[in-house]
Amino acid sequence: MKLLQWTLFIDMLGYKNINGAIDSKEKALELINFMKENAEIFQSQDSQKRKELYLQEEFDLYEFYEPKYCFVSDSLIISFEPKEVNRKERFKDEFLRHSANVAIIIMMRLVVFIFKCY
C-alpha cells in the first residue's frame, strides 16, 4: 500500500522581477548563490542524521516517502512521493494519520525556506 502523494508548486513572488533585473555577472552570481542556499535548506532537511532521528520516532518519514525538491527559475517544486509499504495490519487505520503527518512536515520545512526568502 501507499500513502497519499503530496506535490507543491511554490512561486517565489517578486523573484521574477529580480531575475529580469540581472544586468551584470555579479548580480547573476548573487542570485545563483541565493538559489543554491535555498537548495541547501532542503538538502540538509534530508541529511543522514535527520533520517536516523526519524528511525526513533513513531512515524518514520523515510519508510513511507521519498522527498524530492526542484527549483525552476523563481519557483520551487516539492514532491513527497509515497513508497510501496508491505504492511497490512493497522495500515488502513494509520493511512490518513501518516498522510497528514507528512503535510505537517512539509509545512514545517517550508517555514525555514519562507523565512530565508523574507
Side-chain angles (χ1 to χ4, degrees):
M1 287 187 95
K2 291 183 178 184
L3 298 176
L4 295 176
Q5 178 160 344
W6 294 93
T7 302
L8 292 83
F9 179 85
I10 301 161
D11 185 22
M12 297 168 57
L13 296 175
Y15 283 86
K16 182 177 181 182
N17 295 335
I18 294 171
N19 281 346
I22 293 174
D23 58 3
S24 68
K25 184 176 180 178
E26 291 78 26
K27 286 183 181 179
L29 289 174
E30 185 178 318
L31 181 62
I32 289 169
N33 287 333
F34 173 75
M35 294 305 282
K36 283 182 180 179
E37 290 171 3
N38 289 337
E40 288 170 4
I41 289 171
F42 292 98
Q43 291 164 355
S44 70
Q45 291 173 340
D46 289 318
S47 68
Q48 187 59 37
K49 184 176 180 179
R50 175 94 29 121
K51 290 177 182 181
E52 290 169 7
L53 289 172
Y54 270 103
L55 289 172
Q56 301 168 17
E57 298 295 326
E58 182 181 339
F59 174 70
D60 179 4
L61 170 69
Y62 301 99
E63 176 185 1
F64 296 98
Y65 283 94
E66 178 69 33
K68 297 180 181 180
Y69 310 95
C70 177
F71 285 91
V72 178
S73 183
D74 65 340
S75 299
L76 165 65
I77 302 167
I78 297 173
S79 183
F80 277 57
E81 188 176 316
K83 294 179 179 179
E84 188 66 44
V85 179
N86 292 327
R87 279 197 193 178
K88 300 285 186 213
E89 75 288 339
R90 293 184 46 217
F91 189 77
K92 217 174 188 182
D93 298 334
E94 297 173 344
F95 179 85
L96 290 177
R97 183 168 51 105
H98 287 340
S99 296
N101 283 340
V102 173
I104 293 167
I105 289 168
I106 291 169
M107 295 306 137
M108 288 173 23
R109 290 179 174 201
L110 278 174
V111 166
V112 178
F113 172 68
I114 292 168
F115 183 76
K116 170 127 182 7
C117 291
Y118 184 67

